Amino acid sequence: MGQGLWRVARSQQLQHQGYSGQGYLTREHGRRIATNNVSSTSHRKQTQGGIDIYHLLKTRKSKEQEGFINLEMLPPELSFTILSYLNATDLCLASCVWQDLANDELLWQGLCKSTWGHCSIYNKNPPLGFSFRKLYMQLDEGSLTFNANPDEGVNYFMSKGILDDSPKEIAKFIFCTRTLNWKKLRIYLDERRDVLDDLVTLHNFRNQFLPNALREFFRHIHAPEERGEYLETLITKFSHRFCACNPDLMRELGLSPDAVYVLCYSLILLSIDLTSPHVKNKMSKREFIRNTRRAAQNISEDFVGHLYDNIYLIGHVAA
């Protein structure tokens, strides 16, 4: 048995190395087979993927050149595509080698808009001497200032003409930016309720399940760590916005903003109960339905049951 398996393996090895059952293949015949395989593979790559980038780079690379490929020797579209994957620090380093390419305005414009999705200056005629590279540095400086002192950060953006002095513009900037410290942002929104109002209206909760919409809301506007007036304000604003986005659903379920407010508070308490390691006796589904319907009597039992299942399976709504 062992000898038979050895012969099969050995036969396959010899065939792979260029032997046949009648003896050795000629060297020239083996070379032709290898050449045909390579050419067919190359043809297949070019047929499937268009231009073979490997051969394009290889032909453009001189014999004396070693190391990284010179981006200036590539087509501009390919060079810009490669550089578009770099962050601001690496792009600055690349500009030391490929100054014209790495300083291109389109690259820095993409970096600005991917990090700060909305700025008032985007929709204005750029002033004389404007560059997106300089704007990126100002936006980065302003974000760091905001994370230290929100009021000073907003004033910095306004002084540079990046933001207009308007609650709606500030709200759009906050909504489209992910580099702001959420603790500082929470303090700022608690003080600037006018900005908070416009920020809430930017959310679209249409056709979203209530717990999922609440999670999205608290991802942009972080809930306070303790209960209080600010948390009540957030839930009230969310309830009215959710009802405004889903008028048909509210009529179908017979819900009002006050009923949604009760449900949101119930979901937050249920989230704490189910996820906290300090609570040993977890609230059951039946208890949650009974307590919730006691506070809001017109709510369907099946709907409240689905709310419980969502928290049980997915987790906290304000984590």
Side-chain angles (χ1 to χ4, degrees), residues 31-203:
R31 185 183 296 113
R32 284 201 301 271
I33 292 175
T35 303
N36 291 336
N37 289 337
V38 171
S39 61
S40 63
T41 302
S42 175
H43 176 72
R44 187 163 56 252
K45 286 182 178 180
Q46 293 182 1
T47 303
Q48 295 175 353
I51 299 176
D52 193 331
I53 300 298
Y54 172 77
H55 291 294
L56 176 63
L57 300 180
K58 187 175 181 181
T59 55
R60 286 179 172 270
K61 184 176 180 181
S62 62
K63 295 182 179 179
E64 300 80 16
Q65 182 183 5
E66 294 182 357
F68 290 105
I69 298 171
N70 187 357
L71 296 182
E72 293 178 347
M73 299 178 63
L74 301 177
E77 297 83 358
L78 184 56
S79 301
F80 289 135
T81 302
I82 295 172
L83 291 175
S84 67
Y85 288 97
L86 301 181
N87 56 32
T89 302
D90 294 336
L91 196 58
C92 287
L93 294 175
S95 66
C96 298
V97 181
W98 303 291
Q99 184 174 2
D100 293 337
L101 290 173
N103 287 331
D104 188 83
E105 282 291 278
L106 287 178
L107 291 175
W108 287 98
Q109 180 181 359
L111 279 176
C112 289
K113 293 188 176 181
S114 63
T115 309
W116 300 274
H118 175 82
C119 293
S120 303
I121 198 172
Y122 293 161
N123 302 319
K124 298 179 179 179
N125 293 325
L128 186 64
F130 172 84
S131 73
F132 277 99
R133 178 172 179 171
K134 180 181 178 181
L135 177 62
Y136 184 95
M137 305 304 173
Q138 292 175 340
L139 285 168
D140 188 55
E141 178 68 22
S143 297
L144 293 175
T145 305
F146 184 96
N147 293 338
N149 188 311
D151 291 326
E152 291 183 5
V154 173
N155 291 334
Y156 175 88
F157 289 131
M158 293 178 181
S159 66
K160 299 297 182 181
I162 298 174
L163 276 181
D164 292 341
D165 189 3
S166 165
K168 183 174 293 186
E169 286 297 302
I170 299 174
K172 288 181 180 179
F173 175 80
I174 293 173
F175 185 79
C176 299
T177 301
R178 298 293 177 267
T179 60
L180 304 179
N181 182 276
W182 64 271
K183 291 184 178 180
K184 298 293 184 180
L185 182 58
R186 186 173 62 191
I187 296 173
Y188 180 77
L189 293 175
D190 190 12
E191 297 175 351
R192 292 291 305 270
R193 298 297 175 91
D194 54 343
V195 176
L196 178 61
D197 290 338
D198 286 313
L199 185 58
V200 171
T201 59
L202 294 175
H203 290 81

